[in-house]
Short mmCIF file of all heavy atoms in Angstrom, two decimals:
data_model
loop_
_atom_site.label_atom_id
_atom_site.label_comp_id
_atom_site.label_asym_id
_atom_site.label_seq_id
_atom_site.Cartn_x
_atom_site.Cartn_y
_atom_site.Cartn_z
N MET A 1 32.10 8.93 9.03
CA MET A 1 31.62 8.13 7.92
C MET A 1 30.40 7.30 8.34
O MET A 1 29.46 7.15 7.57
CB MET A 1 32.77 7.22 7.44
CG MET A 1 32.41 6.42 6.22
SD MET A 1 32.24 7.51 4.81
CE MET A 1 32.10 6.35 3.53
N GLN A 2 30.41 6.72 9.52
CA GLN A 2 29.28 5.91 9.98
C GLN A 2 28.04 6.76 10.17
O GLN A 2 26.93 6.30 9.91
CB GLN A 2 29.64 5.22 11.30
CG GLN A 2 30.61 4.08 11.11
CD GLN A 2 30.93 3.41 12.43
OE1 GLN A 2 30.62 3.93 13.50
NE2 GLN A 2 31.55 2.25 12.36
N GLU A 3 28.24 7.99 10.62
CA GLU A 3 27.09 8.86 10.81
C GLU A 3 26.43 9.18 9.46
O GLU A 3 25.22 9.23 9.35
CB GLU A 3 27.53 10.17 11.48
CG GLU A 3 26.37 11.07 11.83
CD GLU A 3 26.81 12.31 12.59
OE1 GLU A 3 27.74 12.21 13.41
OE2 GLU A 3 26.23 13.36 12.33
N PHE A 4 27.25 9.36 8.43
CA PHE A 4 26.72 9.62 7.09
C PHE A 4 25.92 8.42 6.58
O PHE A 4 24.82 8.58 6.04
CB PHE A 4 27.87 9.95 6.13
CG PHE A 4 27.41 10.10 4.71
CD1 PHE A 4 26.71 11.23 4.30
CD2 PHE A 4 27.67 9.11 3.78
CE1 PHE A 4 26.28 11.36 2.99
CE2 PHE A 4 27.25 9.24 2.47
CZ PHE A 4 26.55 10.36 2.07
N LEU A 5 26.45 7.23 6.77
CA LEU A 5 25.74 6.02 6.34
C LEU A 5 24.43 5.85 7.10
O LEU A 5 23.42 5.44 6.54
CB LEU A 5 26.62 4.79 6.51
CG LEU A 5 27.80 4.67 5.54
CD1 LEU A 5 28.65 3.46 5.91
CD2 LEU A 5 27.34 4.57 4.12
N TRP A 6 24.47 6.16 8.39
CA TRP A 6 23.26 6.06 9.20
C TRP A 6 22.20 7.01 8.68
O TRP A 6 21.02 6.67 8.60
CB TRP A 6 23.60 6.37 10.66
CG TRP A 6 22.41 6.20 11.57
CD1 TRP A 6 21.92 5.05 12.07
CD2 TRP A 6 21.57 7.25 12.04
NE1 TRP A 6 20.81 5.30 12.84
CE2 TRP A 6 20.58 6.67 12.84
CE3 TRP A 6 21.56 8.62 11.88
CZ2 TRP A 6 19.59 7.40 13.46
CZ3 TRP A 6 20.56 9.35 12.50
CH2 TRP A 6 19.60 8.74 13.28
N ARG A 7 22.59 8.23 8.29
CA ARG A 7 21.64 9.21 7.75
C ARG A 7 21.07 8.74 6.41
O ARG A 7 19.89 8.91 6.15
CB ARG A 7 22.31 10.57 7.58
CG ARG A 7 22.52 11.29 8.86
CD ARG A 7 23.11 12.64 8.63
NE ARG A 7 23.37 13.30 9.89
CZ ARG A 7 23.99 14.45 10.01
NH1 ARG A 7 24.44 15.07 8.92
NH2 ARG A 7 24.20 14.99 11.19
N VAL A 8 21.90 8.16 5.56
CA VAL A 8 21.43 7.67 4.27
C VAL A 8 20.42 6.55 4.47
O VAL A 8 19.37 6.52 3.81
CB VAL A 8 22.62 7.20 3.39
CG1 VAL A 8 22.11 6.45 2.17
CG2 VAL A 8 23.49 8.37 3.00
N ILE A 9 20.72 5.64 5.37
CA ILE A 9 19.79 4.53 5.65
C ILE A 9 18.49 5.06 6.23
O ILE A 9 17.40 4.62 5.85
CB ILE A 9 20.46 3.50 6.59
CG1 ILE A 9 21.59 2.79 5.86
CG2 ILE A 9 19.43 2.49 7.10
CD1 ILE A 9 22.45 1.91 6.74
N THR A 10 18.56 6.04 7.10
CA THR A 10 17.37 6.63 7.69
C THR A 10 16.53 7.34 6.63
O THR A 10 15.31 7.23 6.62
CB THR A 10 17.76 7.61 8.81
OG1 THR A 10 18.56 6.93 9.76
CG2 THR A 10 16.53 8.17 9.50
N ILE A 11 17.18 8.05 5.73
CA ILE A 11 16.46 8.74 4.66
C ILE A 11 15.79 7.73 3.73
O ILE A 11 14.66 7.92 3.30
CB ILE A 11 17.41 9.68 3.88
CG1 ILE A 11 17.82 10.83 4.79
CG2 ILE A 11 16.76 10.20 2.62
CD1 ILE A 11 18.91 11.71 4.22
N LYS A 12 16.45 6.62 3.44
CA LYS A 12 15.85 5.57 2.61
C LYS A 12 14.61 4.98 3.28
O LYS A 12 13.58 4.78 2.64
CB LYS A 12 16.85 4.46 2.33
CG LYS A 12 17.81 4.74 1.22
CD LYS A 12 18.66 3.51 0.96
CE LYS A 12 19.60 3.69 -0.19
NZ LYS A 12 20.40 2.48 -0.44
N LYS A 13 14.73 4.71 4.57
CA LYS A 13 13.58 4.16 5.30
C LYS A 13 12.42 5.14 5.29
O LYS A 13 11.26 4.74 5.09
CB LYS A 13 13.97 3.82 6.73
CG LYS A 13 14.83 2.59 6.87
CD LYS A 13 15.14 2.32 8.33
CE LYS A 13 16.03 1.12 8.50
NZ LYS A 13 16.35 0.86 9.90
N LEU A 14 12.72 6.40 5.49
CA LEU A 14 11.68 7.42 5.47
C LEU A 14 11.03 7.52 4.09
O LEU A 14 9.81 7.62 3.97
CB LEU A 14 12.27 8.78 5.89
CG LEU A 14 11.29 9.94 5.97
CD1 LEU A 14 10.23 9.66 7.03
CD2 LEU A 14 12.04 11.22 6.29
N PHE A 15 11.85 7.48 3.06
CA PHE A 15 11.32 7.52 1.69
C PHE A 15 10.39 6.34 1.43
O PHE A 15 9.29 6.51 0.89
CB PHE A 15 12.47 7.51 0.68
CG PHE A 15 12.02 7.38 -0.73
CD1 PHE A 15 11.44 8.45 -1.40
CD2 PHE A 15 12.15 6.16 -1.40
CE1 PHE A 15 11.01 8.31 -2.70
CE2 PHE A 15 11.72 6.03 -2.70
CZ PHE A 15 11.15 7.11 -3.36
N TYR A 16 10.80 5.13 1.79
CA TYR A 16 9.97 3.95 1.57
C TYR A 16 8.70 3.99 2.40
O TYR A 16 7.63 3.54 1.96
CB TYR A 16 10.75 2.66 1.83
CG TYR A 16 11.76 2.36 0.74
CD1 TYR A 16 13.10 2.18 1.04
CD2 TYR A 16 11.36 2.26 -0.58
CE1 TYR A 16 14.02 1.91 0.05
CE2 TYR A 16 12.27 1.99 -1.59
CZ TYR A 16 13.60 1.81 -1.27
OH TYR A 16 14.51 1.55 -2.26
N LEU A 17 8.77 4.53 3.59
CA LEU A 17 7.60 4.65 4.44
C LEU A 17 6.59 5.63 3.81
O LEU A 17 5.39 5.34 3.75
CB LEU A 17 8.01 5.13 5.83
CG LEU A 17 6.93 5.16 6.89
CD1 LEU A 17 6.45 3.75 7.19
CD2 LEU A 17 7.46 5.81 8.15
N ILE A 18 7.08 6.75 3.33
CA ILE A 18 6.20 7.72 2.68
C ILE A 18 5.62 7.13 1.40
O ILE A 18 4.42 7.29 1.12
CB ILE A 18 6.97 9.03 2.39
CG1 ILE A 18 7.29 9.74 3.71
CG2 ILE A 18 6.18 9.94 1.46
CD1 ILE A 18 8.21 10.92 3.56
N LEU A 19 6.42 6.43 0.64
CA LEU A 19 5.93 5.78 -0.58
C LEU A 19 4.85 4.75 -0.27
O LEU A 19 3.81 4.70 -0.94
CB LEU A 19 7.09 5.12 -1.32
CG LEU A 19 6.75 4.40 -2.62
CD1 LEU A 19 6.26 5.40 -3.66
CD2 LEU A 19 7.94 3.63 -3.13
N PHE A 20 5.07 3.96 0.77
CA PHE A 20 4.09 2.94 1.17
C PHE A 20 2.76 3.57 1.54
O PHE A 20 1.70 3.15 1.06
CB PHE A 20 4.66 2.13 2.35
CG PHE A 20 3.69 1.15 2.92
CD1 PHE A 20 3.39 -0.03 2.26
CD2 PHE A 20 3.07 1.40 4.14
CE1 PHE A 20 2.49 -0.94 2.80
CE2 PHE A 20 2.18 0.50 4.68
CZ PHE A 20 1.89 -0.67 4.00
N PHE A 21 2.79 4.60 2.38
CA PHE A 21 1.54 5.24 2.80
C PHE A 21 0.86 5.97 1.65
O PHE A 21 -0.36 6.00 1.56
CB PHE A 21 1.78 6.18 3.98
CG PHE A 21 1.89 5.46 5.29
CD1 PHE A 21 3.08 5.43 5.99
CD2 PHE A 21 0.81 4.77 5.81
CE1 PHE A 21 3.18 4.75 7.19
CE2 PHE A 21 0.90 4.08 7.01
CZ PHE A 21 2.09 4.07 7.69
N THR A 22 1.64 6.50 0.73
CA THR A 22 1.05 7.15 -0.44
C THR A 22 0.32 6.12 -1.30
O THR A 22 -0.79 6.38 -1.78
CB THR A 22 2.16 7.84 -1.27
OG1 THR A 22 2.84 8.78 -0.44
CG2 THR A 22 1.58 8.55 -2.47
N LEU A 23 0.91 4.96 -1.48
CA LEU A 23 0.25 3.91 -2.26
C LEU A 23 -1.01 3.41 -1.57
O LEU A 23 -2.03 3.16 -2.22
CB LEU A 23 1.22 2.75 -2.51
CG LEU A 23 2.37 3.05 -3.46
CD1 LEU A 23 3.34 1.88 -3.49
CD2 LEU A 23 1.86 3.36 -4.84
N ILE A 24 -0.95 3.25 -0.26
CA ILE A 24 -2.13 2.80 0.49
C ILE A 24 -3.26 3.82 0.38
O ILE A 24 -4.41 3.47 0.12
CB ILE A 24 -1.77 2.54 1.98
CG1 ILE A 24 -0.81 1.38 2.11
CG2 ILE A 24 -3.02 2.32 2.82
CD1 ILE A 24 -1.38 0.05 1.67
N LEU A 25 -2.92 5.09 0.56
CA LEU A 25 -3.96 6.13 0.49
C LEU A 25 -4.52 6.27 -0.92
O LEU A 25 -5.71 6.49 -1.09
CB LEU A 25 -3.40 7.47 0.98
CG LEU A 25 -3.13 7.53 2.48
CD1 LEU A 25 -2.48 8.86 2.82
CD2 LEU A 25 -4.40 7.34 3.28
N SER A 26 -3.69 6.12 -1.92
CA SER A 26 -4.20 6.21 -3.29
C SER A 26 -5.07 5.00 -3.62
O SER A 26 -6.03 5.11 -4.38
CB SER A 26 -3.06 6.35 -4.29
OG SER A 26 -2.27 5.19 -4.30
N ALA A 27 -4.76 3.84 -3.06
CA ALA A 27 -5.58 2.65 -3.29
C ALA A 27 -6.94 2.80 -2.60
O ALA A 27 -7.96 2.36 -3.13
CB ALA A 27 -4.87 1.41 -2.78
N CYS A 28 -6.96 3.43 -1.44
CA CYS A 28 -8.22 3.63 -0.73
C CYS A 28 -9.10 4.63 -1.46
O CYS A 28 -10.32 4.61 -1.32
CB CYS A 28 -7.95 4.13 0.69
SG CYS A 28 -7.17 2.91 1.74
N ASN A 29 -8.50 5.51 -2.21
CA ASN A 29 -9.24 6.54 -2.92
C ASN A 29 -9.65 6.09 -4.31
O ASN A 29 -10.32 6.82 -5.02
CB ASN A 29 -8.38 7.81 -3.01
CG ASN A 29 -9.21 9.05 -3.03
OD1 ASN A 29 -10.41 8.99 -2.79
ND2 ASN A 29 -8.60 10.18 -3.32
N SER A 30 -9.27 4.90 -4.72
CA SER A 30 -9.56 4.40 -6.06
C SER A 30 -11.04 4.07 -6.18
O SER A 30 -11.67 3.56 -5.25
CB SER A 30 -8.73 3.15 -6.33
OG SER A 30 -9.08 2.61 -7.55
N SER A 31 -11.60 4.33 -7.34
CA SER A 31 -13.01 4.04 -7.57
C SER A 31 -13.19 3.10 -8.76
O SER A 31 -14.19 3.17 -9.46
CB SER A 31 -13.78 5.34 -7.80
OG SER A 31 -13.28 5.97 -8.96
N SER A 32 -12.24 2.22 -8.98
CA SER A 32 -12.34 1.33 -10.13
C SER A 32 -13.42 0.26 -9.95
O SER A 32 -14.02 -0.18 -10.91
CB SER A 32 -10.99 0.67 -10.41
OG SER A 32 -10.60 -0.11 -9.31
N VAL A 33 -13.69 -0.15 -8.73
CA VAL A 33 -14.74 -1.12 -8.47
C VAL A 33 -15.87 -0.39 -7.77
O VAL A 33 -15.67 0.32 -6.80
CB VAL A 33 -14.22 -2.26 -7.57
CG1 VAL A 33 -15.35 -3.22 -7.24
CG2 VAL A 33 -13.08 -2.97 -8.24
N SER A 34 -17.06 -0.57 -8.28
CA SER A 34 -18.19 0.11 -7.68
C SER A 34 -19.34 -0.86 -7.48
O SER A 34 -19.33 -1.98 -7.99
CB SER A 34 -18.64 1.28 -8.55
OG SER A 34 -19.16 0.79 -9.75
N ILE A 35 -20.34 -0.43 -6.74
CA ILE A 35 -21.48 -1.30 -6.45
C ILE A 35 -22.32 -1.51 -7.70
O ILE A 35 -23.07 -2.48 -7.79
CB ILE A 35 -22.31 -0.73 -5.29
CG1 ILE A 35 -23.24 -1.81 -4.74
CG2 ILE A 35 -23.10 0.48 -5.72
CD1 ILE A 35 -23.70 -1.56 -3.35
N ASP A 36 -22.23 -0.66 -8.68
CA ASP A 36 -22.99 -0.83 -9.92
C ASP A 36 -22.63 -2.12 -10.63
O ASP A 36 -23.46 -2.72 -11.30
CB ASP A 36 -22.75 0.35 -10.86
CG ASP A 36 -23.27 1.66 -10.28
OD1 ASP A 36 -24.20 1.59 -9.46
OD2 ASP A 36 -22.75 2.72 -10.65
N GLN A 37 -21.41 -2.55 -10.49
CA GLN A 37 -20.98 -3.77 -11.16
C GLN A 37 -21.61 -5.01 -10.55
O GLN A 37 -21.67 -6.04 -11.19
CB GLN A 37 -19.45 -3.88 -11.11
CG GLN A 37 -18.77 -2.79 -11.90
CD GLN A 37 -17.28 -2.82 -11.73
OE1 GLN A 37 -16.75 -3.56 -10.90
NE2 GLN A 37 -16.58 -2.03 -12.51
N THR A 38 -22.09 -4.94 -9.33
CA THR A 38 -22.70 -6.11 -8.71
C THR A 38 -24.13 -6.33 -9.19
O THR A 38 -24.69 -7.38 -8.94
CB THR A 38 -22.69 -5.97 -7.18
OG1 THR A 38 -23.44 -4.81 -6.82
CG2 THR A 38 -21.28 -5.87 -6.65
N PHE A 39 -24.72 -5.36 -9.85
CA PHE A 39 -26.08 -5.51 -10.31
C PHE A 39 -26.17 -6.24 -11.65
O PHE A 39 -27.25 -6.57 -12.10
CB PHE A 39 -26.77 -4.15 -10.41
CG PHE A 39 -27.02 -3.52 -9.07
CD1 PHE A 39 -26.47 -2.29 -8.78
CD2 PHE A 39 -27.78 -4.15 -8.11
CE1 PHE A 39 -26.69 -1.70 -7.56
CE2 PHE A 39 -28.00 -3.58 -6.88
CZ PHE A 39 -27.45 -2.34 -6.60
N ASP A 40 -25.05 -6.47 -12.29
CA ASP A 40 -25.04 -7.19 -13.57
C ASP A 40 -24.99 -8.69 -13.30
O ASP A 40 -23.94 -9.29 -13.17
CB ASP A 40 -23.83 -6.77 -14.41
CG ASP A 40 -23.88 -5.31 -14.78
OD1 ASP A 40 -24.98 -4.77 -14.89
OD2 ASP A 40 -22.79 -4.73 -14.96
N ILE A 41 -26.17 -9.31 -13.22
CA ILE A 41 -26.27 -10.74 -12.93
C ILE A 41 -26.31 -11.49 -14.27
O ILE A 41 -27.14 -11.18 -15.13
CB ILE A 41 -27.54 -11.05 -12.12
CG1 ILE A 41 -27.50 -10.27 -10.80
CG2 ILE A 41 -27.66 -12.54 -11.84
CD1 ILE A 41 -28.78 -10.34 -10.02
N PRO A 42 -25.43 -12.47 -14.44
CA PRO A 42 -25.44 -13.23 -15.70
C PRO A 42 -26.77 -13.95 -15.90
O PRO A 42 -27.45 -14.35 -14.96
CB PRO A 42 -24.31 -14.24 -15.51
CG PRO A 42 -23.47 -13.70 -14.42
CD PRO A 42 -24.36 -12.89 -13.56
N GLU A 43 -27.13 -14.14 -17.16
CA GLU A 43 -28.41 -14.78 -17.50
C GLU A 43 -28.45 -16.22 -16.99
O GLU A 43 -29.50 -16.70 -16.56
CB GLU A 43 -28.61 -14.75 -19.01
CG GLU A 43 -29.97 -15.23 -19.44
CD GLU A 43 -30.17 -15.09 -20.94
OE1 GLU A 43 -29.57 -14.19 -21.54
OE2 GLU A 43 -30.93 -15.90 -21.49
N LYS A 44 -27.30 -16.90 -16.99
CA LYS A 44 -27.23 -18.27 -16.51
C LYS A 44 -27.65 -18.36 -15.03
O LYS A 44 -28.36 -19.28 -14.63
CB LYS A 44 -25.81 -18.79 -16.69
CG LYS A 44 -25.57 -20.19 -16.22
CD LYS A 44 -24.13 -20.57 -16.44
CE LYS A 44 -23.81 -21.92 -15.88
NZ LYS A 44 -22.40 -22.29 -16.03
N VAL A 45 -27.25 -17.36 -14.26
CA VAL A 45 -27.61 -17.34 -12.84
C VAL A 45 -29.07 -16.94 -12.66
O VAL A 45 -29.77 -17.48 -11.81
CB VAL A 45 -26.67 -16.37 -12.07
CG1 VAL A 45 -27.08 -16.23 -10.62
CG2 VAL A 45 -25.23 -16.84 -12.17
N GLN A 46 -29.54 -15.99 -13.44
CA GLN A 46 -30.93 -15.55 -13.33
C GLN A 46 -31.90 -16.69 -13.60
O GLN A 46 -32.97 -16.75 -13.00
CB GLN A 46 -31.20 -14.41 -14.29
CG GLN A 46 -30.58 -13.10 -13.86
CD GLN A 46 -30.87 -11.98 -14.84
OE1 GLN A 46 -31.40 -12.22 -15.93
NE2 GLN A 46 -30.53 -10.77 -14.46
N ASN A 47 -31.53 -17.61 -14.49
CA ASN A 47 -32.42 -18.74 -14.80
C ASN A 47 -32.52 -19.73 -13.65
O ASN A 47 -33.50 -20.45 -13.52
CB ASN A 47 -31.92 -19.46 -16.06
CG ASN A 47 -32.05 -18.59 -17.29
OD1 ASN A 47 -32.85 -17.67 -17.33
ND2 ASN A 47 -31.25 -18.88 -18.29
N VAL A 48 -31.51 -19.79 -12.80
CA VAL A 48 -31.48 -20.76 -11.71
C VAL A 48 -32.10 -20.20 -10.43
O VAL A 48 -32.54 -20.94 -9.57
CB VAL A 48 -30.02 -21.20 -11.45
CG1 VAL A 48 -29.93 -22.18 -10.30
CG2 VAL A 48 -29.42 -21.80 -12.70
N ILE A 49 -32.16 -18.89 -10.30
CA ILE A 49 -32.62 -18.25 -9.05
C ILE A 49 -34.12 -18.47 -8.86
O ILE A 49 -34.92 -18.29 -9.77
CB ILE A 49 -32.31 -16.74 -9.08
CG1 ILE A 49 -30.81 -16.52 -9.02
CG2 ILE A 49 -33.01 -16.02 -7.94
CD1 ILE A 49 -30.40 -15.08 -9.12
N ASN A 50 -34.47 -18.86 -7.66
CA ASN A 50 -35.88 -18.98 -7.26
C ASN A 50 -36.22 -17.71 -6.49
O ASN A 50 -35.71 -17.47 -5.41
CB ASN A 50 -36.09 -20.22 -6.40
CG ASN A 50 -37.56 -20.42 -6.05
OD1 ASN A 50 -38.41 -19.59 -6.36
ND2 ASN A 50 -37.84 -21.54 -5.40
N THR A 51 -37.09 -16.89 -7.02
CA THR A 51 -37.40 -15.59 -6.40
C THR A 51 -38.22 -15.72 -5.12
O THR A 51 -38.40 -14.73 -4.41
CB THR A 51 -38.15 -14.70 -7.40
OG1 THR A 51 -39.32 -15.37 -7.84
CG2 THR A 51 -37.28 -14.36 -8.58
N ASP A 52 -38.71 -16.92 -4.81
CA ASP A 52 -39.47 -17.11 -3.57
C ASP A 52 -38.57 -17.15 -2.34
O ASP A 52 -39.04 -16.95 -1.22
CB ASP A 52 -40.29 -18.41 -3.64
CG ASP A 52 -41.36 -18.34 -4.73
OD1 ASP A 52 -41.79 -17.22 -5.07
OD2 ASP A 52 -41.75 -19.41 -5.23
N HIS A 53 -37.29 -17.42 -2.51
CA HIS A 53 -36.35 -17.52 -1.40
C HIS A 53 -35.43 -16.31 -1.39
O HIS A 53 -35.07 -15.78 -2.43
CB HIS A 53 -35.50 -18.79 -1.52
CG HIS A 53 -36.31 -20.03 -1.46
ND1 HIS A 53 -36.62 -20.77 -2.59
CD2 HIS A 53 -36.90 -20.67 -0.42
CE1 HIS A 53 -37.36 -21.81 -2.23
NE2 HIS A 53 -37.55 -21.78 -0.92
N GLN A 54 -35.03 -15.91 -0.16
CA GLN A 54 -34.13 -14.75 -0.05
C GLN A 54 -32.68 -15.15 -0.28
O GLN A 54 -31.97 -14.53 -1.04
CB GLN A 54 -34.27 -14.10 1.31
CG GLN A 54 -35.55 -13.30 1.45
CD GLN A 54 -35.60 -12.57 2.76
OE1 GLN A 54 -35.13 -13.08 3.77
NE2 GLN A 54 -36.17 -11.39 2.75
N LEU A 55 -32.21 -16.19 0.42
CA LEU A 55 -30.83 -16.64 0.28
C LEU A 55 -30.81 -18.04 -0.29
O LEU A 55 -31.57 -18.90 0.13
CB LEU A 55 -30.12 -16.62 1.64
CG LEU A 55 -29.96 -15.27 2.31
CD1 LEU A 55 -29.36 -15.44 3.68
CD2 LEU A 55 -29.10 -14.35 1.47
N GLN A 56 -29.90 -18.28 -1.25
CA GLN A 56 -29.84 -19.58 -1.87
C GLN A 56 -28.40 -19.98 -2.12
O GLN A 56 -27.54 -19.13 -2.30
CB GLN A 56 -30.54 -19.57 -3.24
CG GLN A 56 -32.01 -19.21 -3.15
CD GLN A 56 -32.60 -19.18 -4.55
OE1 GLN A 56 -32.31 -20.02 -5.37
NE2 GLN A 56 -33.43 -18.19 -4.80
N LEU A 57 -28.16 -21.26 -2.10
CA LEU A 57 -26.86 -21.82 -2.49
C LEU A 57 -27.05 -22.47 -3.84
O LEU A 57 -27.85 -23.40 -3.99
CB LEU A 57 -26.39 -22.85 -1.46
CG LEU A 57 -25.10 -23.57 -1.77
CD1 LEU A 57 -23.94 -22.58 -1.85
CD2 LEU A 57 -24.80 -24.63 -0.74
N ILE A 58 -26.35 -21.97 -4.84
CA ILE A 58 -26.52 -22.47 -6.20
C ILE A 58 -25.31 -23.34 -6.53
O ILE A 58 -24.18 -22.89 -6.48
CB ILE A 58 -26.64 -21.31 -7.21
CG1 ILE A 58 -27.86 -20.46 -6.86
CG2 ILE A 58 -26.74 -21.83 -8.62
CD1 ILE A 58 -27.99 -19.20 -7.69
N LYS A 59 -25.56 -24.61 -6.87
CA LYS A 59 -24.50 -25.54 -7.27
C LYS A 59 -24.77 -25.98 -8.69
O LYS A 59 -25.93 -26.14 -9.10
CB LYS A 59 -24.51 -26.77 -6.36
CG LYS A 59 -24.15 -26.52 -4.93
CD LYS A 59 -24.14 -27.83 -4.18
CE LYS A 59 -23.87 -27.63 -2.72
NZ LYS A 59 -23.90 -28.89 -1.99
N GLU A 60 -23.70 -26.21 -9.42
CA GLU A 60 -23.88 -26.76 -10.76
C GLU A 60 -24.15 -28.26 -10.65
O GLU A 60 -23.53 -28.95 -9.86
CB GLU A 60 -22.62 -26.52 -11.60
CG GLU A 60 -22.49 -25.10 -12.03
CD GLU A 60 -21.45 -24.95 -13.13
OE1 GLU A 60 -21.26 -25.89 -13.91
OE2 GLU A 60 -20.84 -23.88 -13.19
N ALA A 61 -25.06 -28.75 -11.45
CA ALA A 61 -25.42 -30.16 -11.38
C ALA A 61 -24.44 -31.01 -12.13
O ALA A 61 -23.72 -30.63 -12.95
CB ALA A 61 -26.81 -30.35 -11.97
#
């Protein structure tokens, strides 16, 4: 009886491990976020940007 329970527990662990890695690999393959979305700069930010500088810290007044 103990050997049977040990096998069931081992099969459950294996199932969860496979499920975990499947979710991780599917998340890595997801393309829901892309670099194209970073090019959409809000108009409020564009009005504050000084094009003479490369890097800027923008704070609300």
Side-chain angles (χ1 to χ4, degrees):
M1 185 69 171
Q2 287 181 346
E3 186 176 324
F4 175 74
L5 289 175
W6 183 80
R7 285 184 183 174
V8 169
I9 292 171
T10 304
I11 292 171
K12 279 185 177 181
K13 286 181 182 179
L14 182 62
F15 172 75
Y16 287 124
L17 186 66
I18 291 172
L19 180 65
F20 175 75
F21 281 114
T22 303
L23 291 173
I24 294 295
L25 290 176
S26 65
C28 292
N29 210 10
S30 175
S31 62
S32 62
V33 177
S34 66
I35 196 158
D36 295 334
Q37 294 174 352
T38 60
F39 291 121
D40 297 331
I41 301 172
E43 187 176 331
K44 179 180 175 183
V45 175
Q46 286 180 351
N47 293 337
V48 178
I49 292 177
N50 184 355
T51 57
D52 295 335
H53 298 103
Q54 285 185 324
L55 297 175
Q56 299 178 42
L57 176 62
I58 300 173
K59 294 183 184 178
E60 286 194 30

